[in-house]
Amino acid sequence: MTKTYEKDFRKALGFTNQSDVKEFFKATDCVSINWPKINMLNRRLKDLFTRIHHTVHPSIQPEDFNSFLQTIDIAYQKIRKNDFLPRLNNFGRTPENVYYNWMRGYCAAAYFTKAIAVMLNIRQSAIHQIGMDDLDHLETFSQSPMADIEVSLSDSSKIRFEVQSGYTGTNDIKKHKVEEGKRVFKRQGIRSYVIHFDLFNGKAAVVDISEIDDRNLNYKANSRFEGQIVFSIPPEAFRYKLQQTPPAFKDLIY
C-alpha cells in the first residue's frame, strides 16, 4: 500500500517515471550549452590533428587533409541540428566534455583509415564503417560495442576493427568490447581486433580480441570510462611507432 501511495504522490507531481522525478529535483535537465567553448573545442580538434598530420609518417597521412578537417564541421553541424548537445551530460560530465571526447575518437578513426589500409596492404575502399555511432539517432549515438570498421581482404574473408585513441598515456580496452569480439568470432568466424593509437607517446597497438582468455587479463574498474570494466594494454603491445613506415599487419598483432 505504501508503494502505491508513493507512486500516486509522484504522479500527482506530474511524473510517472522515477528517473524523471530525480532529474527534475536535481535540475539536471536544465542545460545551457556553452557555444563559444564548443567553437573553441572545434578549433582545438583541428589544431590537434594538424599537429598529428605533420608529425606522423607521410605514408599514413590522408591524401586530402583539408577534406578530413571538413569532417569535423560536418559532424558538428549534424550533431547540433539533431539537438544532441543539451542531452550529452553522461555520468555528470558536461555536454561540452562529452562532445569533445566523442569527437576526438570520431576524428581519430577517420584520420587513421589510411594507416590501417597501409598495414593491411589493401585499398581504403575495402574498409567499411559498420559501427553504431549514429549522428541521426541519440539512442544509438556512441552506445554500441560493435566494432567501428569491417575490412574485406583479398581472399574474400573479413576482419573487424575497433579503433581507439589515447591522449594521456593510459591505454585501456573495455571488457564489453572483448565480449563482443569473442561473440562475433564464435558466431560468424570473423576475427576482431582493437587498434589503439596512443597519441601521447606516438605509438600504436593491435590486439586480437577474438579468442582472448579472460584469465590472462587484469580487469579493473576505470573512472575515466564511467566505472566500466577495462584492462590495460601492456607496453609491449605497442609495436608501431607512428613516425615510421608501418610494419606488416601480421607483425603488429599482440
Side-chain angles (χ1 to χ4, degrees):
M1 186 173 180
T2 301
K3 289 184 178 180
T4 301
Y5 166 78
E6 293 167 346
K7 184 176 181 180
D8 289 343
F9 178 80
R10 290 190 291 269
K11 188 174 182 179
L13 290 174
F15 302 96
T16 57
N17 184 286
Q18 291 188 36
S19 297
D20 291 342
V21 186
K22 294 174 183 178
E23 185 177 71
F24 178 78
F25 283 162
K26 293 179 179 179
T28 52
D29 58 328
C30 297
V31 179
S32 178
I33 301 299
N34 187 337
W35 295 111
K37 183 172 183 178
I38 291 291
N39 290 329
M40 289 175 62
L41 295 175
N42 285 336
R43 290 194 293 272
R44 175 56 56 85
L45 286 166
K46 292 179 180 180
D47 183 25
L48 187 160
F49 281 95
T50 296
R51 291 172 186 246
I52 290 172
H53 184 70
H54 291 304
T55 304
V56 301
H57 194 270
S59 66
I60 66 171
Q61 294 173 341
E63 300 295 340
D64 190 342
F65 183 64
N66 287 330
S67 292
F68 163 77
L69 291 179
Q70 289 175 8
T71 65
I72 296 173
D73 296 321
I74 293 170
Y76 162 69
Q77 290 165 7
K78 205 162 190 178
I79 290 170
R80 183 164 186 175
K81 177 184 176 182
N82 289 320
D83 199 32
F84 284 174
L85 287 172
R87 292 174 280 177
L88 297 183
N89 58 348
N90 299 16
F91 302 95
R93 294 185 295 159
T94 66
E96 295 83 12
N97 178 264
V98 176
Y99 168 80
Y100 181 67
N101 283 285
W102 187 89
M103 281 289 286
R104 278 193 314 187
Y106 181 82
C107 291
Y111 183 86
F112 287 110
T113 298
K114 184 180 178 182
I116 295 171
V118 172
M119 292 174 189
L120 290 166
N121 193 27
I122 60 172
R123 295 182 178 182
Q124 283 186 239
S125 58
I127 299 176
H128 309 288
Q129 178 73 35
I130 63 167
M132 293 297 289
D133 286 344
D134 193 331
L135 299 181
D136 287 311
H137 302 92
L138 183 65
E139 62 272 15
T140 58
F141 181 77
S142 193
Q143 295 299 315
S144 171
M146 183 180 290
D148 292 314
I149 59 176
E150 186 171 271
V151 178
S152 300
L153 301 177
S154 56
D155 62 359
S156 298
S157 65
K158 295 179 179 180
I159 57 176
R160 289 185 176 182
F161 282 101
E162 169 72 25
V163 183
Q164 296 187 173
S165 50
Y167 302 88
T168 64
T170 300
N171 306 295
D172 299 318
I173 297 176
K174 298 176 184 177
K175 184 178 181 181
H176 73 275
K177 301 286 186 182
V178 175
E179 293 173 343
E180 172 69 6
K182 292 196 289 187
R183 184 192 67 80
V184 168
F185 182 69
K186 183 176 181 179
R187 295 184 180 181
Q188 302 179 44
I190 299 175
R191 301 199 76 86
S192 294
Y193 303 87
V194 169
I195 182 165
H196 185 98
F197 294 93
D198 177 359
L199 297 175
F200 186 78
N201 294 305
K203 298 179 180 181
V206 177
V207 182
D208 188 342
I209 58 172
S210 309
E211 300 177 277
I212 198 166
D213 190 340
D214 285 348
R215 292 174 298 181
N216 296 329
L217 303 177
N218 185 22
Y219 281 120
K220 60 184 178 181
N222 192 317
S223 59
R224 294 189 310 112
F225 292 142
E226 296 86 43
Q228 293 191 51
I229 305 302
V230 303
F231 77 90
S232 296
I233 304 173
E236 60 268 25
F238 289 88
R239 298 174 176 174
Y240 172 43
K241 296 178 180 179
L242 299 178
Q243 290 186 306
Q244 300 176 357
T245 303
F249 178 72
K250 62 182 179 61
D251 297 326
L252 290 173
I253 300 173
Y254 176 79

